[in-house]
Amino acid sequence: MAEKKRKRKGIMGGTFDPIHIGHLILGENAYLQFGLDSVLFMPCGNPPHKQERTGRAQTSQRVEMVRLAIADNPHFELSLIETHDQGYTYTKETLRRLTNEHPDTDYYFIMGADSLFSFEYWREPEEICRLATLVVAVRNHVDKASLDSQIAYLKEKFQARIEKLDTPNIDISSQTIRSWINQEKSLRYYVKDSVIRYIDENDLYRGCEQ
């Protein structure tokens, strides 16, 4: 009997406050480059160190914006595994749960290049490396030699599997989007139309602290 082919899933985590085109482009390019079956978009709960969120979206609103943003993409999935009342979940806990529930699946954890430089200070980084391949989205402001050196360092220290994501560098952030809303600037092409309508209908981010 032929061995059953293992599944491949990407993980895009974050607050998504709000989700924007940069998140979607990263997810799509990871899907294509690594031959993934799907990409999980995983909004987190409100972390304990970010309790003061004046003017920000509630967890349920952030989830709905993600749902709207990915609705027309059949290989994007909404995951609520990190959305709970306790707030923050450590990455290694999420990966342990996923791999226990789906032992036939290999996970690709998508992260920004900036995060790679602090990765060794995350909770149990060696466990994260055991449970997933790290997919690094390169940013223009990150020095290539420094990034390559950090990748080699983490590979040696944690036996990490690290891959660079070949993707256009969309220099946009959720903080920028929130500031544009306050300035009444257009979000067109930076945020999905369905999400823009949701933000307008729910009067989100007006007067929020950046």
Side-chain angles (χ1 to χ4, degrees):
M1 181 183 294
E3 184 178 351
K4 186 178 180 181
K5 183 182 177 182
R6 293 183 62 79
K7 295 179 181 178
R8 293 181 167 199
K9 290 198 173 190
I11 296 174
M12 277 282 299
T15 53
F16 300 118
D17 197 14
I19 188 170
H20 55 71
I21 201 71
H23 298 127
L24 302 175
I25 289 173
L26 288 183
E28 182 70 7
N29 279 277
Y31 168 80
L32 295 171
Q33 183 174 333
F34 299 104
L36 305 180
D37 293 286
S38 62
V39 178
L40 303 176
F41 279 74
M42 195 175 288
C44 66
N46 289 337
H49 61 285
K50 290 187 178 180
Q51 291 299 316
E52 294 299 325
R53 295 171 53 83
T54 302
R56 301 285 188 91
Q58 299 173 6
T59 297
S60 61
Q61 293 172 323
R62 292 187 289 109
V63 167
E64 184 59 22
M65 285 188 283
V66 172
R67 191 191 311 279
L68 291 168
I70 68 175
D72 61 353
N73 191 323
H75 46 260
F76 283 175
E77 301 176 25
L78 174 63
S79 171
L80 301 181
I81 192 172
E82 290 198 340
T83 307
H84 47 71
D85 293 340
Q86 290 76 33
Y88 190 78
T89 300
Y90 289 107
T91 299
K92 54 100 176 179
E93 294 170 354
T94 297
L95 287 170
R96 279 176 183 166
R97 178 176 168 186
L98 286 172
T99 53
N100 285 336
E101 293 178 354
H102 307 282
D104 64 337
T105 301
D106 295 326
Y107 288 96
Y108 291 72
F109 186 81
I110 304 164
M111 62 194 298
D114 295 0
S115 297
L116 204 65
F117 290 93
S118 60
F119 177 76
E120 64 182 308
Y121 305 109
W122 290 22
R123 180 70 64 92
E124 296 186 36
E126 65 281 357
E127 180 73 350
I128 297 173
C129 294
R130 184 181 72 82
L131 295 171
T133 297
L134 304 183
V135 175
V136 182
V138 181
R139 304 295 294 273
N140 284 343
H141 65 271
V142 176
D143 178 72
K144 183 180 183 298
S146 298
L147 179 61
D148 289 343
S149 176
Q150 181 68 4
I151 289 174
Y153 169 71
L154 294 175
K155 283 183 173 179
E156 181 177 354
K157 183 171 184 177
F158 299 121
Q159 289 71 59
R161 301 181 302 277
I162 304 176
E163 300 284 352
K164 288 183 181 179
L165 180 58
D166 183 16
T167 184
N169 191 348
I170 307 299
D171 191 15
I172 190 69
S173 68
S174 294
Q175 180 176 343
T176 298
I177 296 297
R178 295 193 300 269
S179 71
W180 285 357
I181 292 170
N182 265 322
Q183 298 169 46
E184 299 185 353
K185 289 185 177 181
S186 172
L187 306 183
R188 193 174 188 183
Y189 305 124
Y190 288 94
V191 179
K192 292 288 288 287
D193 288 346
S194 56
V195 176
I196 293 175
R197 285 193 296 271
Y198 185 86
I199 290 172
D200 289 341
E201 290 168 0
N202 290 273
D203 198 27
L204 297 179
Y205 307 118
R206 304 292 179 184
C208 75
E209 297 175 2
Q210 303 306 310

